[in-house]
Amino acid sequence: MTDSTATPEDWNKLSRAVPEWFQNAPFGIFIHWGAYSVPAWAEPIGALGTIEDHEWFTHNPYAEWYYNTIRIDGSPAQQHHREVFGGEDYDAFLDQWKAEQFDPADWAELFKFAGADYVVPTTKHHDGIALWDAPGTGERNTVHRGPRRDLIGEIARAVDDKGLKLGLYYSGGLDWHVRPFPPHVTSESVHDTSRPKDAGYAEYAYNHVVDLVDKYQPDVLWNDIEWPDAGKHFGEHGLGTLFEHFYSINPQGVVNDRWGATHKDYATSEYEAARENESESEWENCRGIGFSFGYNQVEGPEQSLTGRQLARHLTDVVSRGGHFLLNVGPRADGTIPEIQRQALTGLGEWMATAKQYLVGARPLQDGMAASSEDPWIRWVDRGTEAVAFVDSPGGGTEAAIKLDAGRFSLSQAVAEGAGGTVEATGDGLNVTLLPDRPGPAIIRVPKA
């Protein structure tokens, strides 16, 4: 079967119920680690989806896009690259990337403490450098150069040892090394006019992902950008064949939606971009602790979310029916920057109590209770009870929640953890927020 004969009906045959483990996995950890972690430089101008194309690409806040940004004439990244690195070839960073302090067990322990259910490391980003001995890459991978280690294999084993699910990110849509194009300066060039679409690249990417599936047996395949058009079929080296192989190896596996108009198990949004996908039945929002995925030494506390802010973001996503994939960007030496470690630790302190109320939670039926911004309130449905997550963005200590006493047993509402206390009033609940709470107060309200 060729590209021209793969119909929507062919792709629809891959449709299946989303496995229970993923439905009950509210929180994942993304890892962007690569040769770009050596320069570790970008302008932290803001979040994807809030900045127009020209400014975004010329001043790209994604440090993992360094190879693209330094090729844009007049960009501050190009000037930085000349001043600091003498304009040297990007691949020099692969040899300078040593990962000498990389401790995968420590990473997995931190992710587990933070409350993660699954972990998704990048196996090959747009720079084309593979973090395992990928077929067809010669020595341009981390086994033969730089760290001289199978980084994906080490992460996979550490994640499995902690009982977490493994996802694998792969850039099927772009590879600036094997298919060089002029630097991207528009979203159209990324997603259409300057991405590889040919059969040769489709075979190259197919062989990579099949190798990842066979070697590491992931639970999630997380493709990025697109898939080469000439490979969108069910024949030899076809994407449909790849999906069938993945599901045969792992019947409980899931794939995201960034494979072009083919097949998906769930949709994705990124920071503020593609928010329309958050209306689908299964979706995931991804973002970094700051504005970059790869480690950016320029970012500080003013660009970074705290553990308490992460707790609110996670709760907001789950209250709307989504999953949250939070990125960690390690340094080139393999250490996790302290600002990121503190955020994950702070989140974990809250998740020690909160996670049990997020796993398996569903959005509360419209009309039962309302979310609000001040006081900050999000609701989830736990079957026999509703759970409110309550915070005060203005620093106040009191939050009034109006509820219909006919639909809830207000007198039986209880506060869990160290976030606050609750008492029933005539028309709802009054929550007293404790000053040192690690995240939103958790209020359980039985249904009547």
Side-chain angles (χ1 to χ4, degrees):
M1 181 180 293
T2 65
D3 181 27
S4 61
T5 58
T7 65
E9 289 73 23
D10 293 321
W11 297 114
N12 286 340
K13 290 176 184 176
L14 296 170
S15 297
R16 47 208 274 286
V18 174
E20 186 176 356
W21 80 261
F22 187 70
Q23 294 180 37
N24 293 332
F27 182 45
I29 294 289
F30 222 177
I31 306 169
H32 276 65
W33 196 30
Y36 46 79
S37 305
V38 174
W41 196 93
E43 297 177 81
I45 59 172
L48 182 70
T50 67
I51 298 165
E52 59 90 20
D53 267 10
H54 177 72
E55 183 180 5
W56 175 265
F57 287 99
T58 305
H59 303 274
N60 199 324
Y62 283 3
E64 69 277 10
W65 274 67
Y66 188 79
Y67 183 37
N68 187 76
T69 315
I70 61 176
R71 292 184 294 136
I72 299 175
D73 288 339
S75 71
Q78 185 180 74
Q79 181 179 350
H80 170 84
H81 187 62
R82 287 171 178 164
E83 291 175 354
V84 177
F85 301 105
E88 69 183 354
D89 186 74
Y90 179 84
D91 273 26
F93 296 131
L94 172 55
D95 297 312
Q96 295 165 27
W97 175 23
K98 299 300 185 186
E100 63 270 24
Q101 296 187 58
F102 173 44
D103 182 350
D106 173 69
W107 286 17
E109 179 69 32
L110 177 62
F111 303 156
K112 178 84 169 181
F113 180 81
D117 303 287
Y118 57 108
V119 178
V120 186
T122 51
T123 68
K124 184 205 78 167
H125 207 260
H126 313 327
D127 61 7
I129 295 172
L131 277 68
W132 87 109
D133 195 7
T137 58
E139 294 193 348
R140 197 174 182 269
N141 59 62
T142 62
V143 175
H144 295 282
R145 290 171 62 183
R148 297 187 180 274
R149 297 164 72 169
D150 176 2
L151 300 176
I152 297 304
E154 293 189 45
I155 293 169
R157 286 188 293 274
V159 164
D160 183 65
D161 286 346
K162 289 296 177 184
L164 304 175
K165 298 286 189 179
L166 176 70
L168 295 177
Y169 166 107
Y170 182 80
S171 174
L174 298 174
D175 191 312
W176 299 323
H177 179 73
V178 301
R179 291 294 184 272
F181 281 89
H184 301 287
V185 294
T186 67
S187 295
E188 182 184 27
S189 76
V190 171
H191 294 280
D192 185 18
T193 57
S194 293
R195 67 174 175 86
K197 304 178 182 181
D198 62 285
Y201 178 65
E203 180 177 347
Y204 180 79
Y206 173 94
N207 288 337
H208 280 185
V209 179
V210 165
D211 194 55
L212 290 168
V213 169
D214 291 345
K215 277 193 171 86
Y216 310 114
Q217 301 188 352
D219 301 289
V220 182
L221 285 183
W222 212 103
N223 189 59
D224 203 7
I225 304 294
E226 249 281 5
W227 193 259
D229 294 12
K232 294 175 181 175
H233 58 80
F234 283 77
E236 186 177 12
H237 305 126
L239 179 58
T241 307
L242 172 58
F243 288 142
E244 290 173 341
H245 180 67
F246 171 57
Y247 292 136
S248 73
I249 296 295
N250 187 348
Q252 295 295 305
V254 293
V255 304
N256 73 342
D257 61 342
R258 301 189 183 190
W259 311 83
T262 59
H263 165 70
K264 67 178 184 293
D265 290 309
Y266 67 95
T268 61
S269 61
E270 185 169 326
Y271 286 90
E272 299 301 317
R275 292 291 298 270
E276 65 275 7
N277 290 339
E278 296 178 2
S279 63
E280 299 211 18
S281 58
E282 288 288 342
W283 59 273
E284 172 193 78
N285 174 252
C286 68
R287 63 156 294 153
I289 291 172
F291 293 130
S292 179
F293 287 93
Y295 171 55
N296 182 8
Q297 60 181 306
V298 180
E299 288 187 336
E302 61 274 16
Q303 289 90 19
S304 304
L305 298 181
T306 64
R308 185 166 156 188
Q309 289 170 319
L310 290 175
R312 279 173 47 169
H313 187 86
L314 169 59
T315 306
D316 174 67
V317 166
V318 174
S319 75
R320 295 183 291 113
H323 311 256
F324 178 31
L325 185 62
L326 172 67
N327 183 76
V328 171
R331 295 187 185 92
D333 66 3
T335 59
I336 294 174
E338 191 58 31
I339 196 168
Q340 298 182 37
R341 186 175 285 273
Q342 287 178 356
L344 290 169
T345 301
L347 174 62
E349 291 169 352
W350 181 76
M351 285 284 273
T353 300
K355 183 172 180 179
Q356 62 188 303
Y357 303 109
L358 297 173
V359 172
R362 297 292 178 260
L364 192 62
Q365 179 183 341
D366 288 346
M368 287 283 288
S371 297
S372 70
E373 296 304 315
D374 194 6
W376 190 92
I377 303 172
R378 297 294 186 270
W379 290 90
V380 299
D381 194 329
R382 297 278 305 163
T384 59
E385 66 180 9
V387 178
F389 298 88
V390 185
D391 207 352
S392 176
T397 59
E398 300 290 327
I401 305 176
K402 292 190 179 299
L403 289 173
D404 182 353
R407 307 182 79 169
F408 296 98
S409 299
L410 299 180
S411 62
Q412 297 179 46
V414 295
E416 295 288 348
T421 60
V422 62
E423 64 176 339
T425 63
D427 59 353
L429 301 171
N430 190 61
V431 180
T432 301
L433 298 167
L434 301 180
D436 296 327
R437 60 193 181 277
I442 303 161
I443 312 298
R444 299 170 57 193
V445 191
K447 296 177 184 176

